Amino acid sequence: MDPEQSAPVRIVAGVYPGQSPAVAQEAAVLAAALHGELVCAYVNPGRYPLAESPDGAMDSAPLDPDFEDDADASFPSGLAAALAGQLGPLGTAWRPVLLAGDVADALAHCADTLDAAMIVVGTHGDARTTLREVFAHSVATRLARRQLRPVLVVPTHHGHPAQAVRHTAGRP
């Protein structure tokens, strides 16, 4: 590698079906601002990793050997379609990656493998969820406590129309 060339900037975003689009959109805006690549990582906690490829993707097996479902061994097609619809108009380079195991551990490992600049995740729950409930089971909290790289936590309990306007104001 040419010493004047630097490795591409990568942002790892934790994504899952039904998640607020705010997480992927904020990660895409950040990746675009850094002229980098967005890696949308879905972690299947019902599987465990067997092997890892250099691009961060994992081959996995089900935790329950009696429940083998080939659909679980690939990135969810509905999620990929939703991300394409959300991220396509933004023009940010992105790709899906399937991970397995504990969500926080898998995202951290993927970010380490890719030497990501940052991990982006969303909050869980809604505006009525107490702070104690959020931190008790939070992937974001676990990442922030164990990671050496920055973790961006995107609030996903938008519900007021004014937040949607503020969210996109001044963004590309």
Side-chain angles (χ1 to χ4, degrees):
M1 182 176 195
D2 184 344
E4 293 183 18
Q5 284 184 329
S6 60
V9 174
R10 291 190 181 100
I11 304 296
V12 172
V15 297
Y16 59 88
Q19 180 182 42
S20 167
V23 176
Q25 289 170 351
E26 288 293 338
V29 167
L30 181 61
L34 297 172
H35 306 289
E37 176 189 36
L38 174 60
V39 177
C40 293
Y42 168 71
V43 182
N44 185 336
R47 299 180 69 85
Y48 65 93
L50 293 173
E52 177 183 26
S53 64
D55 71 353
M58 293 181 177
D59 289 329
S60 63
L63 291 175
D64 182 352
D66 294 332
F67 184 73
E68 179 65 40
D69 186 356
D70 290 337
D72 284 346
S74 60
F75 196 90
S77 59
L79 178 56
L83 288 168
Q86 294 165 16
L87 302 176
L90 299 176
T92 303
W94 72 280
R95 65 183 170 92
V97 171
L98 177 67
L99 306 175
D102 176 80
V103 177
D105 292 344
L107 289 173
H109 184 78
C110 180
D112 288 344
T113 299
L114 299 176
D115 194 25
M118 180 178 292
I119 301 171
V120 179
V121 294
T123 58
H124 63 83
D126 59 27
R128 295 176 302 273
T129 303
T130 68
L131 195 57
R132 184 176 189 166
E133 290 172 318
V134 168
F135 288 122
H137 302 93
S138 173
V139 169
T141 300
R142 290 182 54 217
L143 284 169
R145 287 183 177 168
R146 298 179 184 172
Q147 259 311 293
L148 298 178
R149 68 191 74 249
V151 177
L152 174 65
V153 182
V154 178
T156 59
H157 48 271
H158 305 294
H160 193 276
Q163 285 184 318
V165 172
R166 182 183 57 96
H167 173 71
T168 57
R171 301 287 170 97

